[in-house]
Amino acid sequence: MADQPVKQEQAEHAAPTGPCVVIVFGASGDLTKRKLLPAIYNLAAENLLPPEFAVVGFARRPYSHEDFRKYSAKDLDEFTPGEVDPKVRDWLTERLYFQPGNFDDPTSFKSLRDLLTRIDQERGTRGNYLFYMATDPEFFGGVTRELSAAKLTAESGGSWRRSVFEKPFGHDLASAKELNHDLLSVLTEKQVYRIDHYLGKETVQNIMALRFGNGIFEPVWNRRYIEHVQITVAEKVGVETRGGYYDHAGALRDMVPNHLFQLITLMAMEPPSSFDANIVRDEQTKVLRALPPMREEEVLARTVRGQYGAGEEDGKVAAAYRAEQNVNPDSSTETFLAMRLQIENWRWADVPFFIRTGKRLKERVTQIVIQFRRAPLLLFHQENGGPLTPNQLVLHIQPTEGISLRFKAKVPGPVMQLSNVNMDFRYADYFQARPSTGYERLLYDAMIGDATLFQRADTVEIAWSVVQPVLDAWTARKPTEFPNYAAGSWGPAEADKLITADQRPRQWCNG
């Protein structure tokens, strides 16, 4: 009998978090209203928050508590995925507070300390504080030092204090080391949660379940059976309102040391002995240590960078990157990159990992494609007049979360003719899960003290050590061909040549 779809409320339910206050720095920004507050609402809707709970917004706006509650209620109605239950919304907004202040003003942090003391007394939150840095990275160190000076980071009497830091965590190896040093001078590593929202997506979390919870996958998850792996994070949009930030960052800094490397480590890691946070992150870090930094000549041969020019998307004219708001009209910042990486260990030697990411591409898609080696039989080659195409396992991460397996089957009829068929699994179809922002699991884990899905200091630094030689080589050789791909395309032609550079019949899997 076939398995029936499982509703979310039928699944085993997690326990609510303990009492705590979430303090959001940068509470007037887009991240808070579009992602963080809707994610907290979803946790409340799933009964994962206790009555002893509150949220404090900290920003320069001169809001009162009532102002923040009013604006937040409106934002929840607008940005929460799915239908909003007024009772849950009111439960949450009643627990919202606001502290106006500047990130470098000690008086503002003393006022915050007084407000938190009052909330502890009113709400029974027991001095447990989760500080969320929804700010520009330049403020991470300063805000943390002010919290420490206001005696808000010290743990005592059974209370806990944790800080969540958004990416990017540094802009190169030196700055990542400096930021780690600054934070760890006033916090312990177990208090630091370096967040990557990609790890909040169900398909990303399901990689470990797929690999280690099924006897059919792990035996073939190695160089003997897998020919190559490709990871694509493609966006249809351009830089939109982020031109000022993006023109100093670029696709490499913005995506590779965090999102893409996290996906690679989950794909390539050895089975952990348990789901303990440090044991899982130990295995992930080993993968990054097995990525040898490239020499300059290897950077030239194994990387492609691009910048979008004018083009057409959905029948409309799309502007070139250099014409975007707050972008230098002579910018040499890359909006696309493709790389060939080699993991030098026993499991993955000689299996290339191809990654690509870019803006203004043809489709919005994030996926991992595991391409298996072709069957070494001439039988079907002779009957079909051509070689067998390889099997592929595709992990769809966004916009639709699911898993597909492509294999060969005989076409009905008297002739031995094969055709590709797909077996498709979609989370929404099977589990009937509520719409989410991708932040729910990460916020919940931070509140209960589970750091499995957060990056450790050494992992961040090793990731940057792999990226740094590419940054150095690209800085030394400014691109002369930019823009080199049209908006609405799949990127520069050189990316297609990269994947077939060793004369293998490969191609990018687009969508």
Side-chain angles (χ1 to χ4, degrees):
M1 179 175 164
D3 291 338
Q4 297 298 311
V6 177
K7 293 184 179 180
Q8 188 162 317
E9 56 266 25
Q10 294 174 329
E12 184 177 348
H13 207 273
T17 70
C20 68
V21 185
V22 177
I23 303 95
V24 181
F25 291 93
S28 59
D30 272 3
L31 177 63
T32 301
K33 69 181 181 181
R34 292 176 181 271
K35 298 294 183 181
L36 299 182
L37 283 177
I40 293 171
Y41 166 88
N42 283 338
L43 292 175
E46 295 173 20
N47 297 313
L48 291 175
L49 298 179
E52 304 85 7
F53 178 80
V55 176
V56 174
F58 186 111
R60 288 189 293 268
R61 299 278 178 91
Y63 288 167
S64 65
H65 301 319
E66 286 305 317
D67 289 336
F68 188 48
R69 290 165 185 165
K70 178 179 68 175
Y71 295 134
S72 296
K74 181 181 177 183
D75 291 337
L76 285 168
D77 286 340
E78 181 176 357
F79 296 112
T80 301
E83 187 175 347
V84 173
D85 183 337
K87 292 182 179 178
V88 178
R89 180 197 60 205
D90 294 346
W91 181 94
L92 176 57
T93 54
E94 179 193 351
R95 288 164 168 77
L96 298 183
Y97 298 82
F98 194 82
Q99 176 60 56
N102 293 315
F103 295 151
D104 58 354
D105 176 22
T107 303
S108 298
F109 286 82
K110 291 177 182 177
S111 298
L112 174 63
R113 182 185 63 200
D114 294 341
L115 174 60
L116 291 172
T117 300
R118 179 184 131 200
I119 292 172
D120 285 338
Q121 294 169 349
E122 292 179 356
R123 298 286 179 186
T125 44
R126 304 182 190 176
N128 298 323
Y129 305 150
L130 180 69
F131 301 106
Y132 197 109
M133 309 296 169
T135 71
D136 288 337
E138 64 186 277
F139 299 114
F140 289 173
V143 170
T144 303
R145 285 191 294 272
E146 293 293 349
L147 287 171
S148 177
K151 302 188 186 308
L152 285 170
T153 58
E155 299 178 322
S156 62
S159 66
W160 53 259
R161 310 288 166 88
R162 302 176 189 132
S163 295
V164 179
F165 298 90
E166 275 284 340
K167 67 107 176 166
F169 199 87
H171 62 271
D172 57 15
L173 178 58
S175 61
K177 286 183 173 180
E178 181 180 3
L179 182 53
N180 272 332
H181 178 270
D182 287 349
L183 298 185
L184 296 178
S185 66
V186 294
L187 301 172
T188 63
E189 177 61 36
K190 71 180 180 68
Q191 292 179 288
V192 178
Y193 287 69
R194 301 167 188 83
I195 196 169
D196 183 345
H197 69 267
Y198 265 52
L199 296 188
K201 298 182 181 297
E202 285 292 343
T203 306
V204 174
Q205 297 174 46
N206 198 47
I207 293 173
M208 285 194 289
L210 179 78
R211 288 185 57 191
F212 307 134
N214 296 287
I216 62 174
F217 293 119
E218 188 60 20
V220 298
W221 211 266
N222 56 60
R223 63 196 297 263
R224 181 176 178 183
Y225 298 100
I226 294 177
E227 196 276 328
H228 79 271
V229 176
Q230 52 181 274
I231 302 176
T232 296
V233 180
E235 298 179 78
K236 287 188 71 170
V237 298
V239 294
E240 299 181 302
T241 60
R242 300 173 67 228
Y245 157 75
Y246 198 89
D247 208 36
H248 289 93
L252 180 62
R253 286 185 172 95
D254 192 46
M255 297 297 293
V256 175
N258 37 70
H259 298 336
L260 285 161
F261 276 2
Q262 286 293 301
L263 294 178
I264 286 176
T265 58
L266 290 171
M267 275 292 306
M269 62 189 273
E270 293 298 315
S273 60
S274 77
F275 286 120
D276 174 82
N278 273 324
I279 291 175
V280 172
R281 295 189 294 180
D282 283 345
E283 297 300 338
Q284 289 182 273
T285 304
K286 289 176 185 176
V287 174
L288 295 178
R289 291 185 187 278
L291 286 170
M294 299 184 206
R295 299 185 295 274
E296 184 175 0
E297 60 271 20
E298 291 175 319
V299 172
L300 298 177
R302 290 165 47 189
T303 69
V304 172
R305 52 180 162 167
Q307 184 188 91
Y308 64 83
E312 184 176 306
E313 288 190 346
D314 300 328
K316 299 178 181 178
V317 175
Y321 173 72
R322 292 176 177 179
E324 299 276 20
Q325 182 181 358
N326 297 323
V327 171
N328 185 334
D330 299 316
S331 175
S332 59
T333 298
E334 79 285 352
T335 61
F336 174 97
L337 72 88
M339 299 175 66
R340 174 181 176 145
L341 299 168
Q342 299 289 156
I343 300 174
E344 297 296 340
N345 61 21
W346 281 96
R347 182 185 289 264
W348 296 112
D350 303 322
V351 177
F353 279 66
F354 297 98
I355 62 174
R356 64 173 174 169
T357 184
K359 291 189 175 294
R360 287 281 187 220
L361 298 180
K362 191 169 184 177
E363 293 181 21
R364 174 179 176 253
V365 59
T366 299
Q367 65 184 17
I368 302 171
V369 179
I370 299 98
Q371 182 155 307
F372 294 91
R373 298 191 183 278
R374 284 184 173 83
L377 298 174
L378 291 178
L379 177 62
F380 293 108
H381 174 89
Q382 293 166 350
E383 293 291 337
N384 279 308
L388 289 173
T389 54
N391 305 126
Q392 289 182 336
L393 181 66
V394 183
L395 310 183
H396 305 279
I397 297 171
Q398 66 178 16
T400 302
E401 294 186 282
I403 301 170
S404 300
L405 178 63
R406 186 178 79 174
F407 58 94
K408 288 287 189 182
K410 180 185 175 296
V411 177
V415 178
M416 177 57 75
Q417 182 181 356
L418 302 184
S419 179
N420 287 323
V421 297
N422 286 323
M423 293 179 65
D424 292 320
F425 155 69
R426 295 289 180 267
Y427 277 89
D429 296 339
Y430 193 84
F431 291 108
Q432 301 179 16
R434 294 185 182 93
S436 70
T437 68
Y439 278 80
E440 288 83 358
R441 169 70 186 275
L442 298 169
L443 284 168
Y444 176 81
D445 283 358
M447 283 187 259
I448 66 172
D450 184 347
T452 305
L453 297 178
F454 298 84
Q455 291 185 296
R456 212 166 52 189
D458 59 337
T459 309
V460 169
E461 293 181 14
I462 294 165
W464 276 113
S465 72
V466 178
V467 168
Q468 190 64 51
V470 182
L471 287 172
D472 293 342
W474 284 3
T475 301
R477 293 173 177 254
K478 296 294 184 183
T480 58
E481 76 281 21
F482 280 6
N484 62 347
Y485 71 96
S489 70
W490 277 109
E494 288 77 13
D496 296 324
K497 298 175 184 176
L498 177 70
I499 202 169
T500 59
D502 54 2
Q503 308 306 311
R504 296 292 182 93
R506 306 188 189 105
Q507 62 181 12
W508 291 107
C509 184
N510 295 326

